[in-house]
Amino acid sequence: MATLRTDLPNLAGRRILICRPEPEASRLAQQFQSAGAQTHVFPLVDREPLPETPERRTTILSLDEFSHIIAVSPYAARLLLEELDTWWPQLPAGLKWYGVGAGTAKALAEYGLSPRKPDEGWTSEALLKLPSLSHLDGERILVARGEEGRELTRKTLEARGARVTIMPLYRRFCPDYTSVQVDLALDQFAPEAIIALSGETLNNLIALCANCSHNLYDRPVIVPARRIADQARVAGFNAPVIPGSLADNDIVAAVAEQLAGQDGGSGTAK
């Protein structure tokens, strides 16, 4: 029998549905299990690398012409670094590296870089507040991201005078689950809280709820930012919760606080 960690909130017997992609989902599940929770990993977004194109290779080979390199997620950072390993045994000096959030910055730091990240927050809005991205007259910026993504970063940086190149490295898609798998996750498991750490994940969850008899709208749903929380409320979720950060321990703490508050009749969603 697993020993309950005393340095974590007590979630003994609580049922947590984790809808983030792998491998992050299983890592987070282990943290919840250490706090005594039961978990069901049910990714509602999957990812796969995009094949290399001549345009992308040209961009990689001209890396030394850029001033700033932004990775929007840990997955984007890892794919970019793998590609750079092939073409740049020694990276050009003088580049400023950025991670949108601590997890992405950590992926860059593990490669030996010294990335910049927002002092507070883990969104594009927070990143764009960094002083080094405020005045960019003619500077070239590379943004490593998925095939589709928010245009806020590109539009804002271009408005500040930058020349922005978007490098799509992967595509996101919703896994094709059978009705049996959906029923197991949403009905039989009967989650008491749901982890949905992107707008796309939330949209896919909403679509599942709309197309079946399962109603999860009265359960706390953990979302990454106020924009997604507003989206959840519009969809009908009663208790969207924004954690203190997207670190695993902060996500666990946010769930524990919300469930404890509900038990005591005083739960509050951020």
Side-chain angles (χ1 to χ4, degrees), residues 129-200:
K129 293 179 181 178
L130 289 175
S132 56
L133 292 175
S134 59
H135 302 289
L136 300 162
D137 189 24
E139 294 186 54
R140 293 192 66 186
I141 299 180
L142 178 65
V143 179
R145 70 175 207 190
E147 189 173 38
E148 297 179 357
R150 297 178 68 198
E151 292 298 315
L152 175 69
T153 298
R154 178 181 64 80
K155 290 180 178 179
T156 302
L157 294 175
E158 287 179 345
R160 295 174 181 176
R163 293 182 292 155
V164 180
T165 299
I166 301 296
M167 178 182 288
L169 291 170
Y170 60 95
R171 77 176 188 96
R172 294 182 293 268
F173 59 95
C174 184
D176 187 15
Y177 291 114
T178 66
S179 58
V180 172
Q181 290 172 310
V182 173
D183 183 70
L184 175 62
L186 304 188
D187 187 22
Q188 294 183 44
F189 183 66
E192 296 175 82
I194 307 156
I195 312 301
L197 296 181
S198 73
E200 190 171 357

Side-chain angles (χ1 to χ4, degrees), residues 25-42:
S26 290
R27 188 192 68 216
L28 179 58
Q30 290 178 351
Q31 189 84 350
F32 272 110
Q33 290 162 14
S34 295
Q38 300 175 39
T39 61
H40 186 88
V41 171
F42 189 62

Side-chain angles (χ1 to χ4, degrees), residues 15-20 28 32 40 42 44 185-186 189-197 201-202 205 209 215-223 237 239-241 251 255 259:
R15 299 179 304 279
I16 314 300
L17 182 67
I18 301 175
C19 298
R20 70 187 312 189
L28 179 58
F32 272 110
H40 186 88
F42 189 62
L44 289 179
L186 304 188
F189 183 66
E192 296 175 82
I194 307 156
I195 312 301
L197 296 181
T201 298
L202 180 65
L205 177 64
C209 291
N215 187 341
L216 302 179
Y217 294 114
D218 60 344
R219 324 289 168 83
V221 57
I222 306 301
V223 296
F237 283 93
V241 179
I251 294 170
V255 170
L259 292 179

